[in-house]
C-alpha cells in the first residue's frame, strides 16, 4: 500500500533502512510516531541529534563514548597491556557483562568481508598495530565465521615480529548444553580445542 | 523410519492438504500439473529442508499468497515419534522447528530423516555437467556426515569471498596479495577436507554401486564409479592409492593454485577446487555418458539410487524414505516392477507419482498393502485399493 503523503513515505523509507526493520515494520513505526504527542517527538528527535553529536569513537579503543578516552581506557583499574580485539561495540558490552575481564578493548568495527565491501582499510587495524607496540598480550574475540578467522589470521601475520603474546578465546560447548545435544560441529571444535588438565 | 502424516498449506497449487501415509507404498496419480510432485516436494522440505525441484522457496509458495507452512510427523525406527514444522514467508528466512518449539538450522535437520529421491531430471547424473554428480554425492555425504555439511557451507563462503577479492584485484581496485594468500590458505584447508571426505566416500560407495548394477541387470556388463578431483588421471590414481591422505591432497592442490595464480588474477575467479570436482561413471570401462544406450543409462541411474539407499541404510541407524517422481517417464514397466519389488523387500516406505494409474495396476497385484491417492488441482483424495479379484 502507498500513503498519499510524501513525508510519510520518506519516513518509511528511512526507517526501513534500519537493520531488522522491513517495510511493514517501518510502516507500523511511522504510524506509531504519528500518534505520539508533540513532546515525545521533540525528545525523540533531540536525542537522535545528540546521539550523533555527543557520541564519538574513543581514540584508543574505538568504542562509542562521550568522553575521550572512554571510561574503560581511562580507568586506572584496567590493565592497558592486555588488549581484547572484538568486531563490534556490542561485543564489548557482552564481555563487560561478565565483570571478570580487567584488560582494555580494541573495536575493529567489523571483520574483513569483501562481499560487503569491508576491506582492511575500513577496519581499525593499523590503529591496533600502533597500540600493540606497548602491549603484552592481545586476545582475539572475533566471531567464529570464515571472515572472523581470516581477519585474525591477517592481523596475526602483521604482528609476527612483535614481542607479544597472541591468544584467542576458546570455542567449545556452551555451558548448560549436554554433550548429547551439542551439534557435531561444536563438539568437534571442542575436541579440537581441548585444553590440558594440570 | 517412516512418515505418518503430512499437513501443508500454500505449496504450489495446494491450499491445504493433509495426508496420512501407509508405512509401505504410497501412490499418487493425476495429470501433469495436478500437484502430485508438490506432495513429494513437501516431504523433501520437511525432511531435507529444501525442495528437489527448485532452490528458491518463493517459487513454491501458492500464487497470490505470501507464505507456505508444513508439518510432518515421522516415526523413527525405535517407534519414537517426531514432528517437524516448517514456515516460510516470502522475503524472510525459512523457520524450521521441532515439536518442543526448538528452532533448527537446515544443517541440523539434514540427515535426521534420510530420503532418497529419483526425479526426471536426474539422468543429468550420467549425461549432465559435473554439478549433477557433485550434488548427487554431496547429498549422500551430507545426510551421513554433519561435519562435512558444515565444511561445505564454509567452503562456499570462502570461495565467494576469495572470488570477490580476485575480482577487485583484477579490476585494479584493490591490492591485497597478502590477504589473497590467506584466503587461498583457508580455501586449500577446507578443500583438503572436502576432497578427502569425497574420496573416502567413493571408496565405500563404488563397490555398493557395482553390486547394485549387477543385481539389477543380471548381465555380463559392469559399471563403476570413480572420483576425479584433478584433471589428471595419474594424480587421481595416486590420491586413491594414498587413501586420500591430507599431505598428498595438499601438495597437489598447492601446485594447482600456483599454476593458476596468474590466470586467476586475470579472470578474477577461483579456477580450481572442489567446486569443480567431477566423478566418472564407467560402463564396461568406457565413459557411460558416451556409450550407454537408453536402457543401459536407465539401469545405471536406478543402480545409483539403489546404491544410495543401501549406503544410507548401512551408515545410518535408520532406513531412508524413497521418493520416486514421475516414475514411468524414466523407467519402463519391467524396471518399475523390479525397483518396487526390491524396495518392498527392503521394507522401505515408498512414495511414487505417475500420470496414468492403469500403468501400474498389473504390478500392484503383488503388494499386500499400499495407499492410492488421486490428485486433481491440488486436491488429494484417497481411493479404494484394487483387489486381486477386481483387476
Ligand atoms: Zn577506549
Amino acid at each position: 500500500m502507498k500513503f498519499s503523503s510524501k513525508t510519510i513515505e520518506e519516513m518509511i523509507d528511512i526507517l526501513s533502512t534500519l537493520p531488522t526493520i522491513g517495510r511493514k515494520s517501518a510502516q507500523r513505526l511511522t504510524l506509531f510516531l504519528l500518534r505520539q504527542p508533540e513532546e515525545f517527538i521533540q525528545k525523540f528527535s533531540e536525542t537522535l541529534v545528540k546521539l550523533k553529536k555527543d557520541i564519538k569513537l574513543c581514540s584508543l579503543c574505538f568504542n562509542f563514548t562521550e568522553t575521550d578516552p572512554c571510561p574503560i581506557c581511562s580507568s586506572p583499574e584496567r590493565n592497558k597491556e592486555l588488549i581484547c580485539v572484538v568486531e563490534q561495540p556490542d561485543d564489548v558490552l557482552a564481555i563487560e557483562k561478565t565483570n571478570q575481564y580487567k584488560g582494555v578493548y580494541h573495536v575493529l568495527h567489523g571483520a574483513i568481508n569483501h562481499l560487503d565491501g569491508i576491506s582492511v582499510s575500513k577496519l581499525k587495524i593499523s590503529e591496533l598495530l600502533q597500540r600493540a607496540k606497548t602491549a603484552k598480550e592481545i586476545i582475539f574475540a572475533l566471531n567464529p565465521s570464515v571472515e572472523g578467522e581470516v581477519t585474525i589470521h591477517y592481523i596475526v601475520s602483521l604482528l609476527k615480529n612483535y614481542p607479544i603474546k597472541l591468544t584467542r578465546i576458546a570455542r567449545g560447548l556452551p555451558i548448560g548444553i549436554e554433550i548429547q545435544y551439542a551439534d557435531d560441529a561444536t563438539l568437534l571444535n571442542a575436541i579440537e580445542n581441548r585444553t590440558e588438565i594440570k | 523410519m517412516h512418515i505418518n502424516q503430512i499437513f501443508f498449506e500454500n505449496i504450489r497449487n495446494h491450499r491445504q492438504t493433509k495426508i496420512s501415509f501407509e508405512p509401505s507404498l504410497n501412490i499418487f496419480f493425476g495429470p501433469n500439473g495436478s500437484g502430485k510432485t508438490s506432495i513429494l516436494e513437501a516431504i523433501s522440505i520437511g525432511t531435507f529442508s529444501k525442495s528437489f525441484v527448485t532452490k528458491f522457496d518463493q517459487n513454491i509458495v501458492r500464487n497470490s499468497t505470501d507464505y507456505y507452512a508444513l508439518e510432518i510427523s515421522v516415526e523413527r525406527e525405535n517407534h519414537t515419534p517426531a514432528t517437524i514444522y516448517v514456515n516460510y514467508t516470502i522475503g524472510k528466512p525459512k523457520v524450521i522447528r521441532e515439536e518442543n518449539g526448538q528452532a533448527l538450522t537446515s544443517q541440523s535437520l539434514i540427515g535426521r530423516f534420510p530420503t532418497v529421491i529419483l526425479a526426471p531430471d536426474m539422468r543429468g547424473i550420467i549425461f549432465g555437467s559435473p554439478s549433477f554428480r557433485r550434488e548427487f554425492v554431496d547429498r549422500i555425504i551430507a545426510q551421513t556426515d554433519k561435519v562435512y555439511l558444515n565444511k561445505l557451507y564454509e567452503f562456499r563462503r570462502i570461495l565467494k569471498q576469495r572470488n570477490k577479492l580476485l575480482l577487485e584485484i583484477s579490476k585494479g581496485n584493490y591490492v591485497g596479495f597478502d590477504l589473497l594468500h590467506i584466503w587461498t590458505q583457508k580455501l586449500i584447508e577446507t578443500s583438503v577436507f572436502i576432497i578427502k571426505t569425497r574420496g573416502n566416500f567413493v571408496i565405500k560407495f563404488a563397490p555398493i554401486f557395482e553390486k547394485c548394477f549387477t543385481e539389477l541387470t543380471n548381465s555380463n556388463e559392469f559399471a563403476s564409479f570413480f572420483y576425479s578431483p584433478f584433471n589428471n588421471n595419474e594424480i587421481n590414481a595416486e590420491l586413491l592409492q594414498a587413501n586420500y591422505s591430507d599431505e598428498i591432497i595438499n601438495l597437489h592442490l598447492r601446485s594447482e593454485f600456483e599454476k593458476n595464480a596468474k590466470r586467476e588474477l586475470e579472470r578474477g575467479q577461483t579456477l580450481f577446487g572442489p567446486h569443480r570436482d567431477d566423478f566418472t561413471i564407467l560402463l564396461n570401462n568406457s565413459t557411460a555418458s558416451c556409450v550407454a544406450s537408453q536402457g543401459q543409462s536407465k539401469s545405471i541411474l536406478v543402480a545409483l539410487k539403489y546404491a544410495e539407499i543401501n549406503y544410507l541404510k548401512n551408515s545410518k541407524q535408520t532406513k531412508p524414505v524413497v521418493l520416486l517422481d514421475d516414475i514411468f517417464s524414466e523407467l519402463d514397466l519391467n524396471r518399475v516392477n523390479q525397483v518396487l519389488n526390491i524396495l518392498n523387500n527392503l521394507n522401505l516406505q515408498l512414495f511414487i507419482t505417475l500420470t496414468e494409474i492403469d500403468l501400474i495396476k498389473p504390478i500392484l497385484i503383488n503388494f499386500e498393502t499400499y495407499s492410492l491417492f488421486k490428485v486433481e488441482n491440488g486436491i488429494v483424495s484417497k481411493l479404494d485399493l484394487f483387489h486381486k479379484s477386481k483387476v
Side-chain angles (χ1 to χ4, degrees):
Chain A
M1 107 175 130
K2 275 257 173 206
F3 288 94
S4 48
S5 152
K6 201 170 152 260
T7 312
I8 292 182
E9 281 301 327
E10 272 174 17
M11 191 66 202
I12 293 172
D13 284 345
I14 288 177
L15 286 175
S16 55
T17 60
L18 299 176
T20 75
I21 305 291
R23 260 205 101 69
K24 255 194 184 147
S25 308
Q27 268 174 24
R28 228 177 298 133
L29 289 172
T30 305
L31 296 178
F32 171 84
L33 289 171
L34 269 175
R35 287 190 209 103
Q36 300 313 302
E38 186 68 36
E39 307 88 75
F40 176 88
I41 300 294
Q42 200 65 41
K43 181 105 172 69
F44 188 86
S45 51
E46 276 167 17
T47 314
L48 208 59
V49 174
K50 255 176 60 189
L51 186 70
K52 190 66 195 175
K53 211 173 66 193
D54 295 351
I55 308 281
K56 42 191 167 285
L57 294 181
C58 169
S59 57
L60 292 171
C61 71
F62 300 95
N63 196 1
F64 290 128
T65 178
E66 281 185 49
T67 59
D68 188 16
C70 73
I72 294 176
C73 288
S74 46
S75 162
E77 314 272 286
R78 295 288 188 146
N79 177 359
K80 312 291 184 314
E81 294 177 326
L82 179 61
I83 303 175
C84 178
V85 182
V86 296
E87 289 182 23
Q88 300 295 350
D90 320 36
D91 304 328
V92 174
L93 286 180
I95 298 173
E96 280 300 288
K97 266 202 302 210
T98 66
N99 263 323
Q100 293 297 316
Y101 177 65
K102 293 292 174 236
V104 292
Y105 296 92
H106 189 91
V107 184
L108 292 174
H109 290 274
I112 294 167
N113 188 329
H114 309 293
L115 296 167
D116 290 349
I118 304 175
S119 58
V120 171
S121 58
K122 291 206 172 138
L123 301 171
K124 306 290 178 195
I125 291 178
S126 54
E127 292 84 348
L128 175 63
L129 299 182
Q130 277 306 315
R131 293 181 77 193
K133 288 177 183 161
T134 55
K136 288 214 169 94
E137 178 176 352
I138 293 183
I139 307 170
F140 289 92
L142 272 57
N143 289 323
S145 59
V146 295
E147 293 78 11
E149 286 296 311
V150 162
T151 307
I152 294 176
H153 206 122
Y154 178 70
I155 297 174
V156 167
S157 75
L158 299 175
L159 288 172
K160 67 170 180 277
N161 294 324
Y162 287 55
I164 190 172
K165 190 172 165 192
L166 302 173
T167 55
R168 58 183 302 167
I169 56 167
R171 285 184 298 166
L173 292 177
I175 301 259
I177 295 285
E178 290 180 38
I179 289 181
Q180 58 170 325
Y181 297 118
D183 69 86
D184 299 8
T186 309
L187 207 49
L188 185 82
N189 252 318
I191 292 171
E192 278 179 351
N193 298 311
R194 65 190 179 278
T195 54
E196 201 178 322
I197 302 169
K198 286 174 196 119
Chain B
M1 63 163 269
H2 66 266
I3 301 166
N4 280 331
Q5 200 179 64
I6 194 164
F7 173 63
F8 58 92
E9 263 182 278
N10 294 342
I11 290 187
R12 306 279 185 189
N13 60 352
H14 294 253
R15 269 170 204 280
Q16 283 198 330
T17 294
K18 187 174 190 170
I19 317 170
S20 293
F21 299 122
E22 194 70 42
S24 54
L25 176 61
N26 298 275
I27 301 160
F28 303 92
F29 71 96
N32 287 328
S34 60
K36 51 192 192 314
T37 299
S38 329
I39 300 167
L40 304 192
E41 274 188 285
I43 294 175
S44 175
I45 295 168
T47 53
F48 194 74
S49 84
K50 42 187 162 263
S51 161
F52 57 93
V53 181
T54 174
K55 275 183 196 161
F56 306 105
D57 281 294
Q58 66 260 35
N59 297 348
I60 297 167
V61 175
R62 192 165 67 87
N63 283 342
S64 75
T65 63
D66 66 349
Y67 77 97
Y68 73 69
L70 74 87
E71 184 184 324
I72 190 164
S73 308
V74 175
E75 191 174 322
R76 297 200 183 90
E77 237 71 55
N78 58 7
H79 302 294
T80 55
T83 308
I84 296 292
Y85 303 85
V86 184
N87 282 282
Y88 169 77
T89 304
I90 292 177
K92 292 195 179 149
K94 185 158 43 186
V95 181
I96 307 172
R97 291 184 186 283
E98 49 189 339
E99 57 271 10
N100 60 9
Q102 180 77 42
L104 293 177
T105 57
S106 313
Q107 281 118 298
S108 57
L109 177 65
I110 292 173
R112 269 193 204 196
F113 311 111
T115 52
V116 174
I117 299 170
L118 179 60
D121 71 335
M122 286 184 184
R123 74 195 89 176
I125 300 172
I126 302 163
F127 296 108
S129 63
S131 64
F132 280 94
R133 290 177 284 283
R134 281 195 302 272
E135 206 186 313
F136 170 72
V137 167
D138 281 344
R139 196 191 151 90
I140 307 176
I141 311 177
Q143 293 194 83
T144 54
D145 183 346
K146 215 118 284 156
V147 179
Y148 178 79
L149 183 60
N150 285 319
K151 285 276 182 201
L152 205 56
Y153 281 98
E154 198 179 301
F155 171 81
R156 287 178 186 152
R157 185 80 189 162
I158 297 172
L159 183 66
K160 268 195 197 161
Q161 291 282 9
R162 186 174 186 271
N163 279 343
K164 186 69 200 293
L165 178 60
L166 279 170
L167 193 70
E168 296 288 324
I169 297 176
S170 74
K171 284 197 214 148
N173 289 348
Y174 187 66
V175 190
F177 290 103
D178 39 358
L179 248 182
L180 179 62
H181 180 70
I182 293 173
W183 282 112
T184 308
Q185 299 280 99
K186 287 274 162 208
L187 196 72
I188 289 177
E189 255 170 54
T190 38
S191 299
V192 168
F193 182 88
I194 289 170
I195 292 175
K196 182 191 177 76
T197 311
R198 284 178 180 169
N200 285 312
F201 163 76
V202 173
I203 290 176
K204 284 187 278 176
F205 178 79
I208 301 175
F209 166 66
E210 286 159 26
K211 211 169 133 246
C212 289
F213 182 80
T214 312
E215 184 187 330
L216 286 166
T217 54
N218 265 327
S219 68
N220 300 326
E221 293 181 326
F222 61 96
S224 43
F225 195 90
F226 292 95
Y227 180 34
S228 330
F230 291 84
N231 298 320
N232 176 325
N233 284 334
E234 273 172 44
I235 298 180
N236 290 332
E238 184 192 343
L239 291 184
L240 179 64
Q241 278 278 298
N243 273 314
Y244 297 94
S245 88
D246 288 13
E247 299 76 53
I248 296 189
I249 302 172
N250 202 322
L251 195 78
H252 287 297
L253 273 174
R254 248 162 236 293
S255 99
E256 284 291 332
F257 275 92
E258 274 161 32
K259 214 165 65 191
N260 290 325
K262 206 169 148 244
R263 273 200 313 141
E264 283 195 329
L265 287 171
E266 287 161 10
R267 304 260 294 271
Q269 214 181 35
T270 301
L271 295 172
F272 189 81
H275 60 299
R276 301 213 162 181
D277 266 7
D278 202 357
F279 301 83
T280 313
I281 303 169
L282 297 184
L283 176 68
N284 305 325
N285 286 331
S286 306
T287 309
S289 59
C290 304
V291 298
S293 67
Q294 276 261 324
Q296 286 168 325
S297 69
K298 285 175 179 176
S299 298
I300 293 173
L301 187 58
V302 172
L304 285 169
K305 289 290 152 180
Y306 184 22
E308 181 178 354
I309 291 167
N310 280 318
Y311 184 90
L312 288 174
K313 202 161 70 70
N314 296 344
S315 44
K316 311 272 306 175
Q317 302 299 318
T318 180
K319 281 186 220 161
V321 157
V322 180
L323 314 178
L324 305 172
D325 186 31
D326 205 359
I327 187 168
F328 282 97
S329 81
E330 289 306 293
L331 308 177
D332 51 55
L333 186 64
N334 280 334
R335 280 201 180 78
V336 171
N337 191 11
Q338 189 184 20
V339 167
L340 293 191
N341 276 316
I342 289 174
L343 299 180
N344 193 45
N345 288 336
L346 289 174
N347 271 321
L348 299 175
Q349 190 180 28
L350 272 172
F351 298 87
I352 67 177
T353 72
L354 43 106
T355 45
E356 300 289 335
I357 189 61
D358 291 340
L359 289 170
I360 205 168
K361 268 187 192 167
I363 298 175
L364 291 179
I365 304 170
N366 304 324
F367 284 80
E368 286 298 321
T369 57
Y370 59 91
S371 282
L372 199 59
F373 301 92
K374 186 175 171 189
V375 189
E376 258 175 331
N377 297 319
I379 293 167
V380 183
S381 36
K382 191 169 178 175
L383 299 189
D384 289 335
L385 303 189
F386 305 115
H387 290 292
K388 293 183 184 182
S389 55
K390 284 197 199 159
V391 179

